[in-house]
Amino acid sequence: MDTQDLRRLANAIRRRDLQAVFEAGAGHIGGEMSVIDILTALYFHVLRVDPENPQDPTRDRFVLSKGHTACALYVVLAEKGFIPKDEIKTFLKPHSRLNGHPNRTKVPGVETNTGPLGHGLPVAVGMALAAKLDNASWRTFVVTGDGEMQEGSNWEAIASAAQYKLDNLTLIIDHNRLQQGARLAETNNLAPFPPKLEPFGWAVEEIDGHDMDQIVAALSPEKVVPGKPRCIVAHTNKGNGISFMSDNVAWHHKVPNAEQYKQAMAELEEANQ
């Protein structure tokens, strides 16, 4: 897909995600809107994955460390063909495999269970190291939240990735400046991230996380620096694409009412024209 097609698809994914959260009466809509452009670029332009063979040993690996945005991942997986599109309507329903956090044993395409923050990057480091030990060419990508980067386990993983020169690993920080209940600047502000990651031996780039051209360019294999793990700091907006949700901490875990849902859907549909 070219970047124009990716933008259109990301907007369609936003609309389906919004519908799923509204119908389920629960979800993490704000963080889902901030990460959807990144997920779309990964699954439809970058990752070497096959929905017909989700356990292909040569596949690229993707870990959604900010697992509370699982609904966005499910919609992307459905669009890619890993699960039926019609299954999205079961999100959070009794006995559905589409839980509030992704489950590797239930959902094809999910590489590891996530939810407790600070676990995804350490697992991804292990995956990337395994590929190095096997002299395999597949790559590992992981998306974390910026609030999640406050977890000490992430910094241990960052040190280990540099020690083992894991240039087959890409960390994408969804830097929407908000976490549950507060702004990052009001809690434990780690921004700016590049001056903290670069001394560990990482190659770091900052981009607009809603500019599809910048996302695709940053994820290009040509950007890999030999011997250095890579970090993309993606500047995003929580609730992106929906006026009353954008950059609003209240929408970390909140469901729109019928009037808000109608307005949000109209704004997303207008943006696609």
Side-chain angles (χ1 to χ4, degrees):
M1 283 189 177
D2 62 24
T3 53
Q4 186 175 355
D5 289 335
L6 289 169
R7 281 192 288 269
R8 283 195 290 263
L9 178 57
N11 203 349
I13 290 168
R14 278 192 172 87
R15 296 197 301 275
R16 187 64 188 93
D17 181 275
L18 171 65
Q19 179 186 356
V21 170
F22 176 71
E23 292 176 349
H28 290 82
I29 190 77
E32 286 159 9
M33 295 296 122
S34 73
V35 80
I36 281 173
D37 292 313
I38 296 164
L39 294 181
T40 303
L42 281 167
Y43 275 91
F44 294 92
H45 191 80
V46 177
L47 293 175
R48 296 180 303 169
V49 291
D50 181 5
E52 299 298 320
N53 186 15
Q55 295 300 314
D56 180 0
T58 67
R59 71 192 183 280
D60 288 335
R61 272 66 165 178
F62 171 70
V63 175
L64 181 65
S65 190
K66 49 178 291 181
H68 54 284
T69 58
C71 188
L73 178 61
Y74 298 148
V75 177
V76 169
L77 290 175
E79 285 290 335
K80 189 69 175 178
F82 282 93
I83 59 176
K85 289 184 180 181
D86 195 49
E87 189 174 356
I88 298 300
K89 67 184 180 183
T90 73
F91 175 58
L92 297 182
K93 298 293 191 298
H95 309 297
S96 172
R97 59 180 177 171
L98 305 185
N99 298 323
H101 295 88
N103 189 319
R104 184 183 187 279
T105 63
K106 294 182 178 180
V107 184
V110 173
E111 293 291 348
T112 188
N113 295 25
T114 54
L117 299 177
H119 288 193
L121 180 56
V123 171
V125 167
M127 291 174 172
L129 180 57
K132 286 287 187 183
L133 293 173
D134 287 343
N135 293 314
S137 62
W138 51 268
R139 301 165 68 197
T140 300
F141 300 81
V142 56
V143 169
T144 68
D146 50 4
E148 179 183 3
M149 293 303 295
Q150 296 166 356
E151 300 286 350
S153 53
N154 280 325
W155 296 94
E156 293 179 28
I158 285 166
S160 295
Q163 172 70 27
Y164 292 108
K165 303 183 186 305
L166 300 182
D167 51 14
N168 58 348
L169 173 68
T170 299
L171 162 64
I172 306 162
I173 301 176
D174 181 13
H175 190 14
N176 61 29
R177 306 171 306 283
L178 297 170
Q179 57 193 107
Q180 183 172 349
R183 290 190 170 273
L184 191 69
E186 299 167 354
T187 54
N188 182 10
N189 192 11
L190 293 174
F193 287 98
K196 297 175 178 65
L197 281 150
E198 288 168 344
F200 278 91
W202 282 60
V204 187
E205 179 179 1
E206 295 188 84
I207 65 168
D208 179 344
H210 299 305
D211 184 317
M212 198 59 76
D213 291 309
Q214 291 189 35
I215 297 170
V216 167
L219 290 169
S220 169
E222 285 75 29
K223 290 293 186 78
V224 172
V225 178
K228 288 192 173 188
R230 180 164 170 73
C231 176
I232 300 168
V233 180
H235 293 269
T236 62
N237 289 314
K238 203 157 195 164
N240 188 68
I242 302 170
S243 60
F244 59 89
M245 291 187 191
S246 184
D247 198 36
N248 187 336
V249 70
W251 288 96
H252 177 85
H253 188 272
K254 186 177 179 181
V255 179
N257 59 33
E259 183 178 346
Q260 290 170 326
Y261 172 71
K262 183 178 179 180
Q263 177 184 341
M265 192 64 77
E267 290 181 3
L268 291 174
E269 289 172 352
E270 183 179 354
N272 212 39
Q273 295 174 359

